[in-house]
Amino acid sequence: MMIPEEVFKRRRRHNNTPESTLLMIANFIVVAIDLTLFTNRNHINWFFWVVIGSLAVYNYFTIRKNREEFTRIAIISYCISLAVLVVMFFLFKGQA
């Protein structure tokens, strides 16, 4: 059985994934790792806030660079993902 040639000609570096989706995925991964490493039930390490601040700067410049891609639907989904990150903060902090 022969494999079609199109399988090997896919785009590199996720060029077909929207930048807004990649930004939301990166936010969830960074915040999840940051929460598990630098928070517990009674204390939030200062480095947690450094990472969150760095993530905010990264988000600002990514949105500014790809402004034309952030349509109304992408902005609404981005705001919803930020709200989910806040909820995730309180859930993880309560369980730690």
Side-chain angles (χ1 to χ4, degrees), residues 36-89:
T36 56
L37 292 178
F38 301 114
T39 63
N40 61 27
R41 190 175 294 224
N42 301 322
H43 181 68
I44 299 174
N45 193 335
W46 62 269
F47 195 71
F48 171 81
W49 299 112
V50 171
V51 173
I52 293 297
S54 302
L55 187 63
V57 170
Y58 172 74
N59 281 311
Y60 171 75
F61 284 112
T62 302
I63 291 172
R64 192 172 138 206
K65 178 178 142 187
N66 301 310
R67 181 65 188 131
E68 67 280 351
E69 184 181 316
F70 282 86
T71 61
R72 182 179 171 103
I73 294 173
I75 291 172
I76 291 171
S77 63
Y78 177 75
C79 291
I80 290 171
S81 74
L82 290 180
V84 169
L85 287 175
V86 171
V87 170
M88 191 170 80
F89 170 77

Side-chain angles (χ1 to χ4, degrees), residues 1-32:
M1 183 168 133
M2 298 289 291
I3 298 176
E5 192 172 324
E6 294 84 33
V7 171
F8 300 106
K9 290 187 177 181
R10 292 187 179 177
R11 294 184 188 184
R12 291 183 179 175
R13 299 177 57 213
H14 300 282
N15 288 339
N16 53 351
T17 305
E19 191 66 32
S20 59
T21 305
L22 292 176
L23 182 64
M24 287 184 265
I25 292 170
N27 285 343
F28 277 100
I29 292 171
V30 169
V31 169

